[in-house]
Amino acid sequence: MLPSSHRSSYKNYYELVTMSTLDREETARYILSVTAADVGSPPLTTTQTFTVDISDVNDNAPIFNQSSYTMYVHENNVPTVLVGAIRAADADVGPNAKVTYFLAPAQPTEQPPCSCISVNSENGHVFVLRPLDYEQVRQIEVLVIASDAGSPPLRSNVTVRLVVVDENDNAPKVLYPDQDSTPPSSELVPVSAEAGYLITKVVAVDADSGQNSWLSYHLLRATDPGLFVVGAQSGEVRLKRPVTERDAVKQKLVVLVRDNGRPPLSATAALSVLLLNDFSDVHLPHSSLATEDESNSLTTYLILSLTFVSLLFLASLTAFITHKTCKRKELKDGQVFYGAGNLQSDLVDAATAGTLPHGYCYEISLTTGSGNSEFKFLKPILPSLPPHKSAFTIDINDFPHILSQKIF
């Protein structure tokens, strides 16, 4: 029912006026029936029906469907990942009901909103624009505004909280014993110590949170694994049994520190233990250990040098033997060629005298136990050489001093 009444305006003209404020969001349309009656007898009447539509004005601001929003994103996320959406509705119609979203600008005294979050202005989808690191930022809060398109526009805002979920991306870090110290420190244990003796405690931390930061300790390797035991939760290193005379003075241990993430990450802690009769001899093991390390390094260098020299000697010896073998084979074949330049000067003079007008090549055959040598005639190699360039025929009996020379 339209809260209205009528009043006379002029003669038989009447006005229909409202009696209270109308709200289109409550009732958008009214249907009225107006009856006019005369004063005759009997009176006559006429009825007319009217439809009244209430026009909209921008009197409603957008309203979010939640008082606040909490969204989650895993650290090391991919860029522009969708993490959620916000939604606001406006009770008005038409342009007065069109809602757009945007991040609230920071006040002059406030920090600017995080640039890693973006809100779609049309549908309110929230995106994380870049990878986040849980160890650097664990939660982000931004203020999002929803505004309609009325004139003047009406607005409302809501808080969006983005929670970064931890991933197991950090390995444990050993704090004690210091793994960067030079020289590494050693723990001292008396040889009279009994089983359960506390040697040291490995201390480590993990930058992750939750179960990703739960650490357990394990003995990875040791000089004598049966001598030590490591507390899985405490990291305490203790003697598993009493020390005996057969145990080495210097014991090396490696403790594995592992977190409870999926997949688990781990780190190792190396430490040395010195078994001493008297703590006054603490300097002796250190010096002897240093000497032992230097001696091991020197021994390694000496072995490498000796190996290199031996290989070089074997290569040289092989080359020498090969060379000698080839020489002996050539000598055994026994073919020697002589020309004018191969003989002594007095023989060259004989050649220049022109005993033979043409150059010849000869093969000398020497036999063991024979005083004579034979020269076998071959063919001319230069048929028209000048006399001073020619070879010649030699009777070995005419030059006995030649036999005393070695021919290779």
Side-chain angles (χ1 to χ4, degrees), residues 312-352:
L312 184 61
F313 173 75
L314 290 176
S316 302
L317 183 60
T318 303
F320 177 75
I321 293 174
T322 304
H323 177 72
K324 283 295 184 181
T325 302
C326 293
K327 283 293 184 180
R328 288 184 179 181
K329 185 176 180 181
E330 292 178 359
L331 183 60
K332 187 175 181 180
D333 292 341
Q335 295 184 354
V336 182
F337 295 93
Y338 282 88
N342 297 108
L343 302 178
Q344 296 177 354
S345 59
D346 53 346
L347 298 181
V348 174
D349 294 337
T352 56

Side-chain angles (χ1 to χ4, degrees), residues 29-80:
R29 173 177 291 182
Y30 293 92
I31 299 177
L32 303 178
S33 294
V34 178
T35 301
D38 57 22
V39 293
S41 181
L44 299 178
T45 62
T46 301
T47 301
Q48 182 69 42
T49 302
F50 300 92
T51 300
V52 179
D53 291 323
I54 308 302
S55 62
D56 182 53
V57 295
N58 191 30
D59 59 344
N60 291 279
I63 299 176
F64 288 96
N65 58 357
Q66 293 181 210
S67 59
S68 64
Y69 294 86
T70 300
M71 302 176 184
Y72 299 89
V73 60
H74 288 269
E75 68 171 326
N76 306 318
N77 57 285
V78 297
T80 67

